[in-house]
Amino acid sequence: MKRCDTLVDIGRRQFLRGAGVATVGAATAIVTLPAPEARAATPLARVSYPSNRLANIADLKVDEAFDVAYPDDDAPGVLIKLGRAVPGGVGPDGDIVGFTTLCPHKGYLLNFNAADRTLNCPGHYSRFDCEAGGQQVWGHATQNLPQYAMRVDEKGDIYAEGVDELLHGRLSNVL
């Protein structure tokens, strides 16, 4: 019976050749990456929309959700006056925030819970902290709640100008 030792050797050689090519490719990719300071200076991607008036400060009451739609009628949301300054808050007190009310997990309509200032999903129980920029605190969702980028003018009108996360059910945040 004749043995064939070359197949094992060819297999080893092919493996080593492939590993060498992969190593060279990985090293090339690392060398061509921008320096960390260049990557850090790149702003986060935010899709901008035309500025839309959502409400006036006088329309809002502390710990009550005010229903809005942004960036279009198919994207329900809320404005909430929290009564104390929070990250992303606007207005004279920095306490007004706005979020979409479609859960990023499956698109269920969220409900505001004033007791703990969260938006809650009745479908799979995801919860989002309104005082922490819509950060997910519980549940199946895999991203934080999309928050509106807003501004308030001298008359107290509240305008939304963008969204910081992808809205549920959209491939991009482009109208």
Side-chain angles (χ1 to χ4, degrees):
M1 179 172 359
K2 201 173 184 185
R3 264 181 75 188
C4 181
D5 294 326
T6 58
L7 289 179
V8 172
D9 290 337
I10 290 173
R12 287 183 191 142
R13 284 187 203 121
Q14 283 297 102
F15 173 78
L16 291 173
R17 189 177 303 134
V21 169
T23 302
V24 169
T28 303
I30 290 171
V31 168
T32 59
L33 284 174
E37 60 275 1
R39 288 193 306 261
T42 305
L44 295 175
R46 176 179 289 174
V47 175
S48 293
Y49 295 101
S51 186
N52 288 354
R53 182 188 178 279
L54 300 178
N56 187 283
I57 291 175
D59 299 330
L60 305 179
K61 294 182 176 86
V62 174
D63 289 334
E64 287 186 20
F66 184 86
D67 292 331
V68 296
Y70 182 76
D72 55 42
D73 291 337
D74 294 325
V78 292
L79 296 179
I80 304 166
K81 182 170 178 59
L82 296 169
R84 69 178 186 91
V86 295
V90 298
D93 301 322
D95 65 341
I96 300 170
V97 293
F99 299 97
T100 181
T101 52
L102 292 178
C103 182
H105 177 233
K106 293 285 185 178
Y108 285 93
L109 196 58
L110 302 174
N111 301 306
F112 179 64
N113 180 340
D116 64 3
R117 295 180 167 177
T118 58
L119 283 163
N120 303 311
C121 179
H124 296 104
Y125 310 110
S126 290
R127 298 176 61 226
F128 304 91
D129 188 343
C130 296
E131 294 179 310
Q135 181 177 4
Q136 178 186 348
V137 294
W138 181 261
H140 291 273
T142 57
Q143 75 178 48
N144 294 329
L145 193 60
Q147 184 173 6
Y148 303 152
M150 299 187 304
R151 69 177 171 85
V152 177
D153 71 9
E154 65 281 348
K155 295 181 288 183
D157 289 333
I158 304 165
Y159 292 86
E161 299 181 326
V163 181
D164 70 353
E165 298 272 350
L166 184 64
L167 298 174
H168 174 76
R170 300 189 185 200
L171 299 177
S172 70
N173 282 345
V174 178
L175 295 176

